Amino acid sequence: MSAALLIDFGSTYTKLRAVDLERRRIIGAGQGPSTVASDVMLGMKAALGDLERHCGGLPRFRHRLASSSAAGGLRMVTIGLVRELTAEAARQAALGAGAKLVGSFAYRLTAADLAQIAALRPDIVLLAGGTDGGNSEVVLHNAAALASGALECPIVFAGNRDAADDARRLLAAKALACTENVMPAFNVLNVEPARAAIRQVFIERIVHAKGIDRAAAEFDAVLMPTPAAVLEGARLVADGLPGIRGLGDLLVVDPGGATTDVHSVASGEPAPGAIPQGLPEPRVKRTVEGDLGMRHNAATIVAAAGLEAIARDAGLEPARAGALLAQVSADVERLPASAEETAFDQALARAAVKIAVRRHCGTTETVYTTTGSVTVQRGKDLSRIDAVIGTGGALVASPDPRAVLRMALADPAEPLALRPRAPRLLLDREYLLYACGLLQSVEPQAALELALGHLADLDHETARERARHA
Amino acid sequence: MTAGLARTIVTGVIGSDTHIVGNRILTMALEKAGYKVVALGALTPAADFVRAAVETRAEAILVSSLYGQGELDCRGFRDLCVEAGLEDILLYAGGNLVVGKRSWDETEETFLKMGFDRAAPPGTRAETVLEWLARDLSPA
Ligand code: B12
């Protein structure tokens, strides 16, 4: 048997998936506590032991690949010039690289900004500003400011290429990687080179800085942050490979404990007749909603959706829903232990998906002119995408994941939102998207067939089947 | 002229105005003359002109308005530029700025008072605009 081990050093658990590369199936799963802060080997050993128990012995692994969101994830600060332009392009690049964005700055950095950046303790700073041949004063001012500061983390420069040499000189004392401009010409987005540079710095420096390499005996490589692995998995499943059709344009939603992540793989071009406005968005796009988390940020989900609405959706009295909210907020590790708690979690997940997808998708707006109306579009039109995939613990544990995913869909009450209209609804029940995102770097075909074979089609799943899984 | 040395100019049609033809002709003439043009097209909010000029270090912004609300749309345009650190950028307005029975002189004065360096009367040819730019842009 030819097998691969896929590892996720997560924030609370180290999760393992062992897969059979020839038969395209899962051999087993294992999990242990994440102990990156103390000794990463402890959690890794525990997870391997767990996997061994599930499989009855461990096969020899041809590949052992890892992703990590441990030790706070890949904390990044982005800096650009105009907030809506290069600063936004830099944010998109960092999010697409799987970072946890802890701060975004625009224009000239002030002393207060520098102090704030130092306090944020980023793992990497992404410095952009100016189109190629455009403004170089501000990005150089900011390079000089970073050079004078005490910040020790690596810096990725992805600004005006005319300023790159001067930036290199100014930042000679820092660990610096220079790459292509995130916005080489006005409103032209070019985030892939910056993503690749961030990933390279992650592999070369951050894995060591976070102590994950102390488990190096148990893996071949830590390839990327876990959110980037999910994004790579989504890209593979959407696009397919020569000879193997993918699912087409798609959206992935993950209502997690602290944030709700949404990924889309779709160009989202404007419908005929609509006039695009604002910065174009990347085809592979990730958004992270820091105020929508099933546990750490449950209170802000309820604040955004309204306690009454959450209670109604859960079939609870508002006072009871309030009490359950207090309970999960105080005990973020809590798993639902009663029908009431399950219903409350379901309502939280539904609200989180509804709001997070609304923010991810583009909108149309009708502008009335003297002759009549014109349609203006901002962001991506995801109304015609082919599939919506749910992933993450909250969805897998849900008694009715379909009811959660349906909240991503177009809603007559929001006529201006370009949400998916009639996609297939799928569930990543085995938590394989990240694993396939890792595996595709070495065995793309096996990764794709594994993913396609294990995404559960919720449209064809009967209640009885769901009961069996539960 | 290499791309790095080309002088950058921002063009667009301001407000809810969809008259794009003249703006496009102007943009093509500028490109042919060797300028690097950031063409924002129709329906461009005032703030977008300024944002584009900041990132691209443009030396001039050419605002078109045809549909009769140019004065309203262009109010405060120079202030926006000053706010963004572009106090010295060259600003032209043109297209069809005259509304109703107002004279051109009156209209021109209104736009110059708003901080535009030049206002172009209806039917101004692209060649004229190129001559103005050659005169007004400080030598590189
Ligand atoms: C074609 C046209 C339309 C088309 C536009 C198609 C399109 N998407 O481009 C349609 C039918 C959609 C249309 C609609 C309307 N139009 Co119309 N339209 C015209 C028309 C006939 C020609 C415009 C044109 O393309 N000219 C050709 C180009 C090459 O010339 P230009 O734009 O003037 O540009 C040249 C110069 O002005 C200069 N220039 C242009 N921009 C700039 C900028 C700078 C900085 C400089 C220095 C120079 C410069 O360089 C160009 C090259 O030489 C004009 C009348 C006319 N003959 O001008 C009316 C006209 C502009 N329209 C008019 C009106 C009122 C309207 C409507 C409001 C009608 C209505 N009530 O429904 C709507 C508005 C729609 C909207 N929201 O924008 C009026 C405007 C009146 C005013 N300013 O007071 C005009 C003048 C007709 C009239 N006499 O009443 N219109």
Side-chain angles (χ1 to χ4, degrees):
Chain A
M1 178 170 58
S2 175
L5 178 67
L6 293 319
I7 307 155
D8 167 20
F9 293 107
S11 47
T12 32
Y13 295 106
T14 294
K15 301 186 198 99
L16 308 179
R17 294 287 177 276
V19 300
D20 180 336
L21 294 171
E22 277 138 30
R23 294 164 67 194
R24 318 288 204 230
R25 56 174 203 93
I26 303 171
I27 303 167
Q31 140 172 341
S34 260
T35 50
V36 174
S38 49
D39 181 353
V40 66
M41 271 311 272
L42 293 176
M44 183 68 194
K45 284 259 160 65
L48 279 169
D50 189 38
L51 177 66
E52 194 168 358
R53 269 192 301 286
H54 282 112
C55 307
L58 290 180
R60 219 187 62 77
F61 293 112
R62 180 158 10 136
H63 308 287
R64 298 173 306 168
L65 304 173
S67 66
S68 164
S69 53
L74 174 61
R75 297 171 63 86
M76 280 191 68
V77 160
T78 57
I79 303 164
L81 171 50
V82 176
R83 193 162 288 290
E84 295 82 358
L85 299 174
T86 49
E88 179 57 25
R91 287 185 72 246
Q92 298 273 5
L95 285 169
K100 174 174 176 180
L101 212 57
V102 293
S104 295
F105 296 80
Y107 306 105
R108 284 182 157 79
L109 293 175
T110 63
D113 291 340
L114 279 175
Q116 199 188 335
I117 291 173
L120 288 168
R121 289 178 295 100
D123 296 313
I124 300 178
V125 169
L126 177 62
L127 176 60
T131 53
D132 286 347
N135 183 296
S136 55
E137 290 81 4
V138 174
V139 74
L140 288 174
H141 167 94
N142 291 342
L146 290 174
S148 70
L151 203 69
E152 277 174 18
C153 74
I155 298 169
V156 173
F157 177 91
N160 181 357
R161 68 184 291 273
D162 290 7
D165 288 340
D166 287 338
R168 217 178 260 123
R169 224 165 292 130
L170 287 167
L171 290 164
K174 307 272 174 185
L176 179 71
C178 287
T179 185
E180 285 174 37
N181 196 342
V182 286
M183 190 186 279
F186 176 75
N187 249 13
V188 175
L189 207 57
N190 176 44
V191 293
E192 287 299 331
R195 277 183 191 167
I198 293 165
R199 190 168 301 169
Q200 202 56 38
V201 174
F202 174 80
I203 291 170
E204 287 168 7
R205 307 183 59 111
I206 308 303
V207 170
H208 172 70
K210 301 238 180 215
I212 300 163
D213 58 351
R214 271 179 272 149
E218 300 297 341
F219 59 73
D220 306 329
V222 181
L223 295 178
M224 55 189 104
T226 304
V230 175
L231 204 54
E232 289 306 325
R235 189 202 306 248
L236 177 71
V237 167
D239 295 349
L241 290 166
I244 313 174
R245 271 184 65 138
L247 297 176
D249 289 351
L250 58 79
L251 189 79
V252 176
V253 286
D254 178 359
T259 63
T260 294
D261 283 27
V262 182
H263 308 76
S264 60
V265 184
S267 61
E269 267 146 27
I275 297 166
Q277 265 193 355
L279 187 66
E281 295 188 348
R283 196 176 87 88
V284 181
K285 174 187 167 186
R286 168 170 176 251
T287 47
V288 177
E289 304 306 336
D291 60 340
L292 304 174
M294 297 285 297
R295 289 293 176 267
H296 298 273
N297 297 302
T300 36
I301 298 182
V302 173
L307 182 64
E308 294 278 333
I310 295 276
R312 203 178 321 120
D313 195 36
L316 298 168
E317 287 300 319
R320 184 65 193 133
L324 292 175
L325 171 63
Q327 189 176 39
V328 296
S329 303
D331 175 11
V332 296
E333 301 286 320
R334 187 174 185 88
L335 297 174
S338 68
E340 270 193 338
E341 288 182 49
T342 302
F344 180 68
D345 263 13
Q346 178 81 356
L348 279 183
R350 280 164 54 85
V353 167
K354 176 109 200 172
I355 301 167
V357 173
R358 178 192 301 145
R359 293 180 190 163
H360 185 97
C361 293
T363 54
T364 53
E365 187 191 348
T366 307
V367 177
Y368 295 96
T369 69
T370 24
T371 31
S373 52
V374 237
T375 305
V376 171
Q377 176 180 329
R378 288 185 170 276
K380 289 166 88 168
D381 181 354
L382 300 177
S383 60
R384 285 154 298 167
I385 63 167
D386 302 290
V388 171
I389 303 175
T391 187
L395 271 163
V396 172
S398 164
D400 188 357
R402 191 164 187 278
V404 179
L405 286 187
R406 285 188 57 80
M407 300 311 281
L409 305 186
D411 176 352
E414 295 177 21
L416 303 181
L418 296 165
R419 292 168 171 274
R421 275 198 219 118
R424 296 170 63 187
L425 300 181
L426 301 154
L427 179 63
D428 179 21
R429 178 167 281 129
E430 312 289 345
Y431 189 48
L432 267 183
L433 271 183
Y434 92 93
C436 294
L438 289 173
L439 188 58
Q440 56 118 26
S441 61
V442 287
E443 303 249 6
Q445 196 171 330
L448 177 57
E449 289 178 350
L450 192 70
L452 292 176
H454 286 83
L455 288 171
D457 193 334
L458 295 179
D459 297 319
H460 296 119
E461 190 174 65
T462 64
R464 193 158 42 80
E465 279 174 300
R466 269 204 305 278
R468 192 162 44 85
H469 284 297
Chain B
M1 213 185 280
T2 70
L5 294 174
R7 319 190 69 163
T8 303
I9 294 177
V10 173
T11 68
V13 189
I14 197 167
S16 305
D17 195 340
T18 58
H19 293 92
I20 189 65
V21 180
N23 186 266
R24 197 161 284 157
I25 288 175
L26 207 57
T27 297
M28 280 156 53
L30 290 167
E31 279 172 347
K32 202 155 161 260
Y35 292 102
K36 186 167 166 182
V37 186
V38 176
L40 304 179
L43 290 170
T44 300
D48 282 8
F49 284 89
V50 179
R51 289 176 186 138
V54 170
E55 289 279 8
T56 60
R57 201 179 46 186
E59 293 178 73
I61 302 178
L62 271 51
V63 180
S64 292
S65 179
L66 280 290
Y67 71 156
Q69 298 196 45
E71 192 187 324
L72 215 62
D73 292 334
C74 291
R75 255 185 218 157
F77 199 95
R78 175 59 80 180
D79 297 335
L80 273 180
C81 292
V82 172
E83 199 71 62
L86 302 174
E87 41 280 286
D88 299 326
I89 196 166
L90 196 60
L91 293 184
Y92 292 175
N96 209 319
L97 304 175
V98 188
V99 184
K101 294 196 196 77
R102 254 174 131 196
S103 71
W104 168 246
D105 289 346
E106 236 180 306
T107 306
E108 183 180 32
E109 199 191 314
T110 308
F111 277 84
L112 296 185
K113 270 205 185 127
M114 283 197 291
F116 284 84
D117 296 290
R118 288 184 191 266
T124 303
R125 291 158 47 90
E127 291 76 12
T128 313
V129 183
L130 288 174
E131 283 169 27
W132 289 350
L133 281 170
R135 221 172 307 151
D136 295 348
L137 284 175
S138 51

